[in-house]
Amino acid sequence: MKEVMAIIRPKQMTRTKEVLAVLGFPALTAWRVLGRGKQKGLAGEVSFEVHPKLMKQGGGMKFVPKRLISLVVEDEDVPLVVAAIIKVNRTGEIGDGRIFVCPVDDAVRIRTQERSSEAIS
């Protein structure tokens, strides 16, 4: 099993969830997060006025609002999930996000105590 974590633009969240659900991956966890990449935060990335305290010199922001999604999938499903996330979120512009794939040693469904693959199905 692997955990696929993706940091994406907030406006892409709904479409990303829809595509993953159609592919058979409706279960995920999502967080509102703040961060920045090499560009050090682009004010134009957001569709609202940025409070001056969040701005830094040079027109950037200290942090940019993003969404972090996480889902645990079987090893063989990783390429499909990663490709789907890329297809929905890739614009070719700075700020498209990142995807991280990490090993998962075990999973346990608390209610039934099912383990491993059964716990994530």
Side-chain angles (χ1 to χ4, degrees):
M1 293 180 297
K2 302 279 193 238
E3 179 182 21
V4 178
M5 298 183 301
I7 301 169
I8 61 173
R9 290 183 165 99
K11 64 184 177 183
Q12 296 300 98
M13 186 65 196
T14 300
R15 182 75 180 125
T16 301
K17 288 189 306 185
E18 291 170 350
V19 168
L20 289 171
V22 166
L23 293 174
F25 305 98
L28 59 84
T29 303
W31 299 267
R32 291 180 176 163
V33 296
L34 297 172
R36 68 180 200 179
K38 288 187 228 177
Q39 83 281 5
K40 299 182 182 153
L42 298 174
E45 177 70 19
V46 294
S47 60
F48 52 85
E49 187 150 339
V50 178
H51 191 279
K53 287 185 178 180
L54 292 176
M55 295 296 292
K56 62 179 182 56
Q57 289 183 355
M61 298 170 57
K62 291 180 182 176
F63 296 103
V64 177
K66 295 285 186 173
R67 295 297 180 269
L68 171 62
I69 61 171
S70 169
L71 58 159
V72 177
V73 300
E74 296 294 341
D75 290 5
E76 60 269 13
D77 293 326
V78 170
L80 175 62
V81 169
V82 169
I85 294 169
I86 290 171
K87 184 169 177 112
V88 172
N89 290 278
R90 186 174 185 271
T91 67
E93 300 293 325
I94 291 173
D96 279 348
R98 297 279 192 279
I99 299 172
F100 304 97
V101 179
C102 306
V104 173
D105 292 332
D106 199 4
V108 180
R109 180 174 285 139
I110 295 171
R111 179 178 53 88
T112 62
Q113 296 183 14
E114 294 168 294
R115 298 187 85 90
S116 196
S117 297
E118 291 78 28
I120 64 169
S121 61

PDB file of all heavy atoms in Angstrom, residues 3 14 26 29 31 38 47 60 63-64 68 74 79 97 99 101 104:
ATOM      1  N   GLU A   3       0.606   5.736   0.335  1.00  0.00           N
ATOM      2  CA  GLU A   3      -0.152   6.957   0.562  1.00  0.00           C
ATOM      3  C   GLU A   3       0.235   7.937  -0.536  1.00  0.00           C
ATOM      4  O   GLU A   3       1.418   8.201  -0.753  1.00  0.00           O
ATOM      5  CB  GLU A   3       0.153   7.572   1.927  1.00  0.00           C
ATOM      6  CG  GLU A   3      -0.624   8.857   2.154  1.00  0.00           C
ATOM      7  CD  GLU A   3      -0.302   9.522   3.476  1.00  0.00           C
ATOM      8  OE1 GLU A   3       0.779   9.248   4.051  1.00  0.00           O
ATOM      9  OE2 GLU A   3      -1.123  10.325   3.927  1.00  0.00           O
ATOM     10  N   THR A  14     -12.646  20.345  -6.184  1.00  0.00           N
ATOM     11  CA  THR A  14     -13.889  19.656  -6.553  1.00  0.00           C
ATOM     12  C   THR A  14     -13.675  18.727  -7.737  1.00  0.00           C
ATOM     13  O   THR A  14     -14.077  17.558  -7.708  1.00  0.00           O
ATOM     14  CB  THR A  14     -14.998  20.684  -6.869  1.00  0.00           C
ATOM     15  OG1 THR A  14     -15.220  21.474  -5.700  1.00  0.00           O
ATOM     16  CG2 THR A  14     -16.291  19.995  -7.276  1.00  0.00           C
ATOM     17  N   PRO A  26     -13.107   7.042  -4.008  1.00  0.00           N
ATOM     18  CA  PRO A  26     -13.903   8.113  -3.415  1.00  0.00           C
ATOM     19  C   PRO A  26     -13.429   8.550  -2.029  1.00  0.00           C
ATOM     20  O   PRO A  26     -13.781   9.631  -1.573  1.00  0.00           O
ATOM     21  CB  PRO A  26     -15.300   7.489  -3.326  1.00  0.00           C
ATOM     22  CG  PRO A  26     -15.027   6.030  -3.143  1.00  0.00           C
ATOM     23  CD  PRO A  26     -13.787   5.757  -3.971  1.00  0.00           C
ATOM     24  N   THR A  29      -8.745  12.156   2.395  1.00  0.00           N
ATOM     25  CA  THR A  29      -8.731  13.156   3.450  1.00  0.00           C
ATOM     26  C   THR A  29      -8.190  14.433   2.846  1.00  0.00           C
ATOM     27  O   THR A  29      -7.261  14.394   2.034  1.00  0.00           O
ATOM     28  CB  THR A  29      -7.824  12.700   4.623  1.00  0.00           C
ATOM     29  OG1 THR A  29      -8.307  11.436   5.098  1.00  0.00           O
ATOM     30  CG2 THR A  29      -7.837  13.702   5.753  1.00  0.00           C
ATOM     31  N   TRP A  31      -7.172  18.712   3.604  1.00  0.00           N
ATOM     32  CA  TRP A  31      -6.905  19.795   4.533  1.00  0.00           C
ATOM     33  C   TRP A  31      -6.714  21.091   3.765  1.00  0.00           C
ATOM     34  O   TRP A  31      -6.175  21.081   2.661  1.00  0.00           O
ATOM     35  CB  TRP A  31      -5.595  19.584   5.302  1.00  0.00           C
ATOM     36  CG  TRP A  31      -5.483  18.386   6.144  1.00  0.00           C
ATOM     37  CD1 TRP A  31      -5.770  18.282   7.468  1.00  0.00           C
ATOM     38  CD2 TRP A  31      -4.979  17.105   5.746  1.00  0.00           C
ATOM     39  NE1 TRP A  31      -5.492  17.007   7.900  1.00  0.00           N
ATOM     40  CE2 TRP A  31      -5.005  16.274   6.864  1.00  0.00           C
ATOM     41  CE3 TRP A  31      -4.519  16.579   4.533  1.00  0.00           C
ATOM     42  CZ2 TRP A  31      -4.582  14.958   6.824  1.00  0.00           C
ATOM     43  CZ3 TRP A  31      -4.111  15.271   4.492  1.00  0.00           C
ATOM     44  CH2 TRP A  31      -4.140  14.472   5.632  1.00  0.00           C
ATOM     45  N   LYS A  38       9.197  27.361  -4.741  1.00  0.00           N
ATOM     46  CA  LYS A  38      10.355  28.159  -5.128  1.00  0.00           C
ATOM     47  C   LYS A  38       9.990  29.604  -5.454  1.00  0.00           C
ATOM     48  O   LYS A  38      10.797  30.492  -5.307  1.00  0.00           O
ATOM     49  CB  LYS A  38      11.038  27.536  -6.343  1.00  0.00           C
ATOM     50  CG  LYS A  38      11.767  26.266  -6.051  1.00  0.00           C
ATOM     51  CD  LYS A  38      12.524  25.845  -7.291  1.00  0.00           C
ATOM     52  CE  LYS A  38      12.294  24.402  -7.586  1.00  0.00           C
ATOM     53  NZ  LYS A  38      12.944  23.962  -8.801  1.00  0.00           N
ATOM     54  N   SER A  47      -7.831  34.386  -5.744  1.00  0.00           N
ATOM     55  CA  SER A  47      -8.847  35.212  -6.384  1.00  0.00           C
ATOM     56  C   SER A  47      -9.448  36.246  -5.435  1.00  0.00           C
ATOM     57  O   SER A  47     -10.518  36.766  -5.684  1.00  0.00           O
ATOM     58  CB  SER A  47      -9.957  34.318  -6.937  1.00  0.00           C
ATOM     59  OG  SER A  47     -10.535  33.577  -5.883  1.00  0.00           O
ATOM     60  N   GLY A  60       5.185  39.032  -3.748  1.00  0.00           N
ATOM     61  CA  GLY A  60       4.770  37.686  -3.373  1.00  0.00           C
ATOM     62  C   GLY A  60       4.049  37.669  -2.052  1.00  0.00           C
ATOM     63  O   GLY A  60       3.809  38.701  -1.435  1.00  0.00           O
ATOM     64  N   PHE A  63       2.775  33.055   2.363  1.00  0.00           N
ATOM     65  CA  PHE A  63       2.239  31.720   2.133  1.00  0.00           C
ATOM     66  C   PHE A  63       1.062  31.797   1.173  1.00  0.00           C
ATOM     67  O   PHE A  63       0.364  32.796   1.128  1.00  0.00           O
ATOM     68  CB  PHE A  63       1.781  31.071   3.442  1.00  0.00           C
ATOM     69  CG  PHE A  63       2.905  30.834   4.404  1.00  0.00           C
ATOM     70  CD1 PHE A  63       3.087  31.665   5.481  1.00  0.00           C
ATOM     71  CD2 PHE A  63       3.775  29.778   4.219  1.00  0.00           C
ATOM     72  CE1 PHE A  63       4.125  31.452   6.366  1.00  0.00           C
ATOM     73  CE2 PHE A  63       4.816  29.557   5.098  1.00  0.00           C
ATOM     74  CZ  PHE A  63       4.999  30.398   6.174  1.00  0.00           C
ATOM     75  N   VAL A  64       0.841  30.723   0.436  1.00  0.00           N
ATOM     76  CA  VAL A  64      -0.247  30.639  -0.532  1.00  0.00           C
ATOM     77  C   VAL A  64      -1.238  29.579  -0.056  1.00  0.00           C
ATOM     78  O   VAL A  64      -0.832  28.485   0.325  1.00  0.00           O
ATOM     79  CB  VAL A  64       0.304  30.252  -1.929  1.00  0.00           C
ATOM     80  CG1 VAL A  64      -0.834  30.086  -2.922  1.00  0.00           C
ATOM     81  CG2 VAL A  64       1.300  31.275  -2.416  1.00  0.00           C
ATOM     82  N   LEU A  68      -4.380  20.078   0.554  1.00  0.00           N
ATOM     83  CA  LEU A  68      -3.591  18.854   0.649  1.00  0.00           C
ATOM     84  C   LEU A  68      -4.578  17.700   0.711  1.00  0.00           C
ATOM     85  O   LEU A  68      -5.465  17.679   1.575  1.00  0.00           O
ATOM     86  CB  LEU A  68      -2.714  18.871   1.901  1.00  0.00           C
ATOM     87  CG  LEU A  68      -1.986  17.575   2.254  1.00  0.00           C
ATOM     88  CD1 LEU A  68      -1.008  17.175   1.162  1.00  0.00           C
ATOM     89  CD2 LEU A  68      -1.261  17.716   3.581  1.00  0.00           C
ATOM     90  N   GLU A  74      -3.683   0.723  -3.190  1.00  0.00           N
ATOM     91  CA  GLU A  74      -2.820  -0.428  -3.453  1.00  0.00           C
ATOM     92  C   GLU A  74      -1.670   0.016  -4.366  1.00  0.00           C
ATOM     93  O   GLU A  74      -1.825   0.946  -5.166  1.00  0.00           O
ATOM     94  CB  GLU A  74      -3.614  -1.548  -4.123  1.00  0.00           C
ATOM     95  CG  GLU A  74      -4.709  -2.130  -3.261  1.00  0.00           C
ATOM     96  CD  GLU A  74      -4.184  -2.871  -2.043  1.00  0.00           C
ATOM     97  OE1 GLU A  74      -2.997  -3.255  -2.014  1.00  0.00           O
ATOM     98  OE2 GLU A  74      -4.980  -3.080  -1.116  1.00  0.00           O
ATOM     99  N   PRO A  79       0.063   4.493 -10.116  1.00  0.00           N
ATOM    100  CA  PRO A  79       0.205   5.225 -11.388  1.00  0.00           C
ATOM    101  C   PRO A  79      -1.101   5.844 -11.881  1.00  0.00           C
ATOM    102  O   PRO A  79      -1.105   6.968 -12.388  1.00  0.00           O
ATOM    103  CB  PRO A  79       0.715   4.159 -12.364  1.00  0.00           C
ATOM    104  CG  PRO A  79       1.374   3.130 -11.496  1.00  0.00           C
ATOM    105  CD  PRO A  79       0.567   3.115 -10.225  1.00  0.00           C
ATOM    106  N   GLY A  97       1.487  22.502  -8.036  1.00  0.00           N
ATOM    107  CA  GLY A  97       1.494  21.657  -6.855  1.00  0.00           C
ATOM    108  C   GLY A  97       2.529  20.554  -6.897  1.00  0.00           C
ATOM    109  O   GLY A  97       3.411  20.522  -7.761  1.00  0.00           O
ATOM    110  N   ILE A  99       3.099  16.120  -5.801  1.00  0.00           N
ATOM    111  CA  ILE A  99       2.544  14.831  -5.394  1.00  0.00           C
ATOM    112  C   ILE A  99       3.668  14.053  -4.710  1.00  0.00           C
ATOM    113  O   ILE A  99       4.785  14.001  -5.234  1.00  0.00           O
ATOM    114  CB  ILE A  99       2.005  14.024  -6.597  1.00  0.00           C
ATOM    115  CG1 ILE A  99       0.889  14.788  -7.294  1.00  0.00           C
ATOM    116  CG2 ILE A  99       1.527  12.638  -6.150  1.00  0.00           C
ATOM    117  CD1 ILE A  99       0.429  14.156  -8.593  1.00  0.00           C
ATOM    118  N   VAL A 101       4.486  10.223  -2.879  1.00  0.00           N
ATOM    119  CA  VAL A 101       4.040   8.844  -2.706  1.00  0.00           C
ATOM    120  C   VAL A 101       4.904   8.215  -1.622  1.00  0.00           C
ATOM    121  O   VAL A 101       6.131   8.187  -1.745  1.00  0.00           O
ATOM    122  CB  VAL A 101       4.145   8.048  -4.029  1.00  0.00           C
ATOM    123  CG1 VAL A 101       3.691   6.613  -3.821  1.00  0.00           C
ATOM    124  CG2 VAL A 101       3.333   8.729  -5.136  1.00  0.00           C
ATOM    125  N   VAL A 104       3.128   2.637   3.032  1.00  0.00           N
ATOM    126  CA  VAL A 104       2.261   2.451   4.203  1.00  0.00           C
ATOM    127  C   VAL A 104       2.468   1.020   4.674  1.00  0.00           C
ATOM    128  O   VAL A 104       2.223   0.078   3.918  1.00  0.00           O
ATOM    129  CB  VAL A 104       0.778   2.713   3.851  1.00  0.00           C
ATOM    130  CG1 VAL A 104      -0.127   2.362   5.026  1.00  0.00           C
ATOM    131  CG2 VAL A 104       0.574   4.149   3.423  1.00  0.00           C
TER     132      VAL A 104
END
